[in-house]
Amino acid sequence: MPTETVYGLAADATLDDAVRRIFATKGRPATHPVIVHIPSVEHLDHWSRDVPDTARLLGTECWPGPLTVVVPRADTVSDLVTGGRDTVGLRVPAHPLTLELLARHGGGLAAPSANRFGRVSPTTARHVLDDLGDMVDYVLDGGPSSVGVESTIVDCTCDPPQVLRHGGLPAEQIGRILGGELAEPSGPSRAPGMLASHYAPSCEVEVVADDATAQRRAHLLRAAGRNVTVLGSDDDVVRYARELYTRFREAESTRVDVIVAVAPAPEGLGHAIRDRLAKASAPRP
Ligand code: TXA
Ligand code: MG
């Protein structure tokens, strides 16, 4: 299913066999929790036994939108969805087709990004077909994702809430709504599945500080006979995020050896882009 962030591989969150198929299709470890997509903020209480005020406020202000809240789970939520944890991640995605799907379904759809485990997240229906092809029953084509990076994940079970993953909703905006600071993740592996090297295209990725450095580096690499592409050489951070994963995929299919990517300023969507670039350039397992 399409969302404003990336395409999701969806299954009814109450059907264990269906959720198992998500893990099998992605090749993803069963201990990683998946986000449950719900039709509206009113559904929070169905999935959480005790909705924190911060989660209710964020849901009311930001949904539908690129935000996932982690809250105490209700007893009925399957261990497969939560990875055996006492919390569940919930979000209302901002895509008309998927909102209609959720409204008609009336329940919750568990959905990780619709890519093979460890690969680049899909932002078009074509990406999904390229990755998962006949392993999925249907692809709902909702056009290219408008945000292009995954949702921001906020753990609302702690005080102050922690940003577990930077994403499509800037942390500054969330902090303003909560009227205070957000904490960076701490404690043992708060969000399992966020491995150092996770959003990796098959080519090398080098992250540099500015345009001039990117051009110099590209020149040197090309002189050494390598096929190079430069990313992010303009100031439009919204477009940078929207096109990031498509650029990664294009680089793979055109046999680029090295992507030289300019890191945007650490503000707004820049946090999420920097995080994905850091992961894409990390040493591969
Ligand atoms: O934008 C998105 O969030 C997309 C679209 C499809 O909604 N989904 C997505 O799902 O990125 P996925 O599975 O690729 O990443 C979900 C992340 C995982 O790293 C997982 O560890 C974390 O969310 N997560 C889910 N439930 C959690 C929980 N209860 N506690 C901590 N982390 C959780
Ligand atoms: Mg993913």
Side-chain angles (χ1 to χ4, degrees), residues 1 3-9 26 28 32-37 66 68 70-71 81-82 85-91 93 111-115 121 149-153 155 164-165 189-194 198-199:
M1 65 183 190
T3 84
E4 79 281 33
T5 59
V6 302
Y7 274 68
L9 181 60
K26 280 195 63 127
R28 170 175 168 140
H32 291 182
V34 289
I35 295 168
V36 178
H37 298 70
T68 296
V70 171
V71 296
V81 166
T82 67
R85 307 182 142 224
D86 199 31
T87 56
V88 61
L90 300 170
R91 101 173 181 98
S113 50
N115 51 282
S121 295
V149 291
E150 295 85 347
S151 61
T152 305
I153 304 181
D155 185 348
L164 301 186
R165 176 177 75 185
S189 168
R190 303 284 316 183
M194 285 176 214
H198 194 102
Y199 300 90

Side-chain angles (χ1 to χ4, degrees), residues 98-135:
T98 293
L99 282 173
E100 188 181 335
L101 176 71
L102 285 164
R104 288 199 200 183
H105 178 263
L109 294 174
S113 50
N115 51 282
R116 297 278 304 164
F117 181 63
R119 302 267 303 119
V120 179
S121 295
T123 53
T124 66
R126 168 50 56 192
H127 295 166
V128 178
L129 288 171
D130 288 347
D131 259 26
L132 301 176
D134 14 305
M135 297 175 78

Side-chain angles (χ1 to χ4, degrees), residues 12-231:
D12 187 320
T14 62
L15 300 178
D16 277 359
D17 281 346
V19 177
R20 271 192 205 98
R21 270 191 72 196
I22 293 179
F23 287 93
T25 304
K26 280 195 63 127
R28 170 175 168 140
T31 50
H32 291 182
V34 289
I35 295 168
V36 178
H37 298 70
I38 55 177
S40 70
V41 66
E42 286 76 32
H43 287 245
L44 268 175
D45 298 274
H46 178 78
W47 297 90
S48 174
R49 63 175 178 274
D50 180 19
V51 179
D53 291 343
T54 49
R56 205 180 295 282
L57 177 62
L58 288 176
T60 305
E61 294 290 321
C62 306
W63 284 344
L67 169 76
T68 296
V69 295
V70 171
V71 296
R73 73 163 173 188
D75 294 339
T76 48
V77 184
S78 166
D79 277 337
L80 278 175
V81 166
T82 67
R85 307 182 142 224
D86 199 31
T87 56
V88 61
L90 300 170
R91 101 173 181 98
V92 181
H95 193 290
L97 203 53
T98 293
L99 282 173
E100 188 181 335
L101 176 71
L102 285 164
R104 288 199 200 183
H105 178 263
L109 294 174
S113 50
N115 51 282
R116 297 278 304 164
F117 181 63
R119 302 267 303 119
V120 179
S121 295
T123 53
T124 66
R126 168 50 56 192
H127 295 166
V128 178
L129 288 171
D130 288 347
D131 259 26
L132 301 176
D134 14 305
M135 297 175 78
V136 293
D137 298 315
Y138 298 99
V139 180
L140 280 183
D141 187 349
S145 298
S146 57
V147 174
V149 291
E150 295 85 347
S151 61
T152 305
I153 304 181
V154 178
D155 185 348
C156 293
T157 65
C158 38
D159 184 24
Q162 296 182 355
V163 181
L164 301 186
R165 176 177 75 185
H166 286 288
L169 191 70
E172 294 91 337
Q173 205 171 321
I174 298 169
R176 274 197 298 277
I177 293 168
L178 294 177
E181 284 299 293
L182 283 166
E184 287 295 317
S186 63
S189 168
R190 303 284 316 183
M194 285 176 214
L195 312 174
S197 165
H198 194 102
Y199 300 90
S202 56
C203 29
E204 285 171 42
V205 180
E206 283 188 21
V207 185
V208 298
D210 53 53
D211 254 19
T213 314
Q215 295 309 335
R216 270 202 308 279
R217 188 68 192 134
H219 185 78
L220 273 174
L221 288 162
R222 283 179 187 131
R226 312 208 62 197
N227 190 3
V228 180
T229 192
V230 175
L231 287 194

